[in-house]
Amino acid sequence: MAWQLGKADAFARIAADDERGTSPGDALRELMNEYGPCLILIDEWVAYARQLHDVTELPGGNFETHFSFAQALTESAKLARNALLVISLPASDTATSPHASGDDEEVGGERGRAALSRLRNVIGRVESSWAPASTEEGFEIVRRRLFEPLIERDQFVARDTVAREFFDFYRTQRAEFPPECVDAEYETRLKAAYPIHPEVFDRLYTDWSTLVKFQRTRGVLRLMAAVIHSLWERGDRNPLILPANIPIDDPRVSDELTRYLSDSWKPIIAKDVDGPNALPLRIDGDVPNLGKFAATRRVARTIYLGSAPTAGASNRGLEDRRVKLGCVMPGESPAVFGDALRRLTSAATYLYTDGPRYWYDTQPTVTKLADDRAEQLKRDRTRFTMNWSCGCGGISSSVASLVASTHFQALVVTSRTIPRRSWLCLGLNVPTARTLAAAH
């Protein structure tokens, strides 16, 4: 750090401390003042500190002396005239956190938690915390990173026209959509998120950000980059990117949507959400009124995006009005998508419903299990009595033996007792209670 600030001259002033692995104390503040202004960025500090142990011969000092340096660094940055110290730390760190077990993967077990706790104690004395990007800030981050800026007047007019069309549609159909969609502020959100619908960001920043491995900014950028590239390759001309437009059938997109979930979600997507053999595609193919809009497929995509990351939560799933918000565009009938939702719910294996809420889960629904079990029971309860008969004159009189069971009766004959005929008959008779009792 001293070398980056002032090369050899600056390093010479703390060389002795560097050699002994001790904290340089106030010398850091002097270097910041003399060679400032300076910006110090520290990332993955926990990952470094957790590797230290209680051996004094380490070149960088041991676990204890490292946090003495951390305190000296933060105090020096606070007192220096033109210095800014920016440090990133994992969010959840306490044993009582609902995500503590998951954070162990990022923090690094017991030693990582100890390092994080010590760093928080040191930094907390002088910190000015910065929260992660909000949903509204995410609009601008994604737009700047993935789209060219709007500079022409026609571009702004197109954006405002699309926002106005969607907002007017939500107001005229207010009973079909969530209540916040009719507030004037929602039109502002539509403009800010353009050309992505705000509902996409709401689901990513509200639902997917609860997953420990999902990084709010980086995760959203990775996913939306794959989505935008796939839609661009397909020549998509929709006015906004809604949850229903996310091409989950594209392996690049589905990989981003399953990398933070268990592997059991992949066959669920292929069966009940999106793919060449998925149920929604078959329903759309069987019902022309739905297939014209790919309504069932759009409904399934919307529910997956809004429910997969919260499948284990107490208040899981999406309300039917929010499902329609993620599907329906101006000029389309919400009733069509309501019909698609009902058909999908009655036929899907992994789609659950509770009142107005819908969600996908990794376990088959009880209704589907009951239907499968009933079908299996019908097959198991079918029993036959098999009578072999040769020719049209009935059963041969030289039957060798009769074998009885609770499931069937078989007349066993040998090849020598079968008369030579040009054809062979097989007679099947369903046994009655009397014939079964007689057999026993």
Side-chain angles (χ1 to χ4, degrees):
M1 188 181 298
W3 184 273
Q4 288 180 315
L5 284 171
K7 301 301 181 183
D9 292 341
F11 177 74
R13 294 165 63 173
I14 53 91
D17 292 302
D18 181 71
E19 185 176 352
R20 294 192 300 266
T22 57
S23 172
D26 194 56
L28 290 173
R29 179 187 60 83
E30 297 174 356
L31 291 175
M32 293 176 189
N33 284 335
E34 184 171 343
Y35 296 100
C38 62
L39 171 63
I40 303 172
L41 303 176
I42 302 180
D43 192 13
E44 303 291 348
W45 200 346
V46 173
Y48 175 81
R50 72 187 181 211
Q51 300 177 72
L52 302 175
H53 47 84
D54 300 325
V55 179
T56 57
E57 289 79 13
L58 290 174
N62 59 23
F63 194 75
E64 295 298 329
T65 57
H66 185 76
F67 296 106
S68 297
F69 163 74
Q71 183 171 352
L73 177 62
T74 55
E75 292 290 345
S76 297
K78 177 184 176 181
L79 297 174
R81 291 188 298 269
N82 294 306
L84 180 63
L85 174 63
V86 180
I87 302 168
S88 67
L89 296 177
S92 302
D93 59 287
T94 65
T96 58
S97 168
H99 304 301
S101 60
D103 284 341
D104 282 349
E105 300 181 24
E106 181 179 357
V107 174
E110 182 179 352
R111 178 64 72 175
R113 290 196 301 273
L116 179 57
S117 177
R118 295 289 295 274
L119 281 172
R120 281 207 174 278
N121 289 336
V122 170
I123 297 170
R125 301 175 183 177
V126 295
E127 71 175 351
S128 176
S129 297
W130 288 1
S134 65
T135 304
E136 279 66 26
E137 290 172 334
F139 298 167
E140 194 64 24
I141 293 172
V142 172
R143 190 166 62 186
R144 290 189 181 188
R145 293 288 297 271
L146 302 179
F147 294 100
E148 293 289 338
L150 301 179
I151 54 177
E152 301 292 339
R153 181 179 180 277
D154 291 345
Q155 295 173 331
F156 286 100
V157 171
R159 179 201 64 181
D160 295 346
T161 301
V162 169
R164 171 54 61 173
E165 286 290 327
F166 273 85
F167 183 62
D168 288 344
F169 179 59
Y170 296 148
R171 285 197 303 173
T172 56
Q173 302 276 349
R174 62 177 60 211
E176 302 287 349
F177 301 102
E180 69 267 19
C181 296
V182 300
D183 295 336
E185 181 184 352
Y186 203 76
E187 183 178 5
T188 303
R189 297 189 75 211
L190 286 165
K191 293 178 182 179
Y194 181 84
I196 301 172
H197 196 282
E199 183 66 7
V200 174
F201 289 106
D202 287 342
R203 300 284 64 80
L204 294 178
Y205 280 97
T206 302
D207 300 330
W208 287 83
S209 63
T210 62
L211 300 175
V212 174
K213 295 182 180 180
F214 188 85
Q215 297 174 303
R216 290 171 63 95
T217 302
R218 189 177 304 174
V220 171
L221 283 172
R222 283 176 59 101
L223 172 61
M224 294 312 301
V227 168
I228 293 166
H229 184 66
S230 178
L231 294 177
W232 178 78
E233 287 182 331
R234 300 179 185 201
D236 186 87
R237 305 294 296 177
N238 286 304
L240 287 180
I241 300 175
L242 280 74
N245 301 128
I246 293 180
I248 303 178
D249 59 325
D250 188 318
R252 295 166 297 185
V253 176
S254 63
D255 286 347
E256 290 298 326
L257 287 172
T258 56
R259 68 165 54 240
Y260 312 103
L261 304 171
S262 64
D263 291 338
S264 59
W265 280 100
K266 293 182 178 180
I268 294 173
I269 291 176
K271 180 179 178 63
D272 272 2
V273 182
D274 202 358
N277 300 313
L279 173 65
L281 203 62
R282 297 201 304 272
I283 295 177
D284 285 338
D286 294 338
V287 185
N289 192 41
L290 302 181
K292 181 168 60 175
F293 303 100
T296 315
R297 190 184 206 184
R298 289 160 66 179
V299 165
R301 288 173 172 179
T302 302
I303 297 175
Y304 176 82
L305 187 69
S307 66
T310 59
S314 57
N315 189 30
R316 53 193 168 187
L318 297 177
E319 291 186 354
D320 52 357
R321 292 188 296 178
R322 196 161 293 280
V323 173
K324 293 175 184 176
L325 177 64
C327 296
V328 190
M329 292 192 183
E332 298 175 338
S333 172
V336 172
F337 294 86
D339 183 29
L341 179 58
R342 288 188 293 272
R343 291 176 183 269
L344 181 63
T345 303
S346 64
T349 301
Y350 299 96
L351 180 59
Y352 285 73
T353 178
D354 184 11
R357 303 189 72 86
Y358 299 82
W359 69 91
Y360 281 107
D361 205 314
T362 55
Q363 299 297 323
T365 63
V366 174
T367 303
K368 185 63 176 177
L369 287 176
D371 291 342
D372 292 344
R373 192 66 57 85
E375 184 64 29
Q376 182 65 37
L377 186 60
K378 289 179 182 178
R379 294 194 295 267
D380 291 345
R381 292 180 63 183
T382 303
R383 300 187 177 102
F384 297 96
T385 298
M386 296 186 299
N387 293 325
W388 288 90
S389 176
C390 301
C392 60
I395 302 172
S396 171
S397 59
S398 56
V399 175
S401 61
L402 174 65
V403 180
S405 74
T406 58
H407 293 283
F408 62 88
Q409 296 173 343
L411 298 177
V412 183
V413 297
T414 64
S415 60
R416 292 177 297 173
T417 62
I418 301 178
R420 293 183 178 275
R421 295 284 190 276
S422 59
W423 46 271
L424 181 67
C425 296
L426 173 62
L428 299 177
N429 296 316
V430 179
T432 65
R434 178 178 298 178
T435 57
L436 288 176
H440 283 287

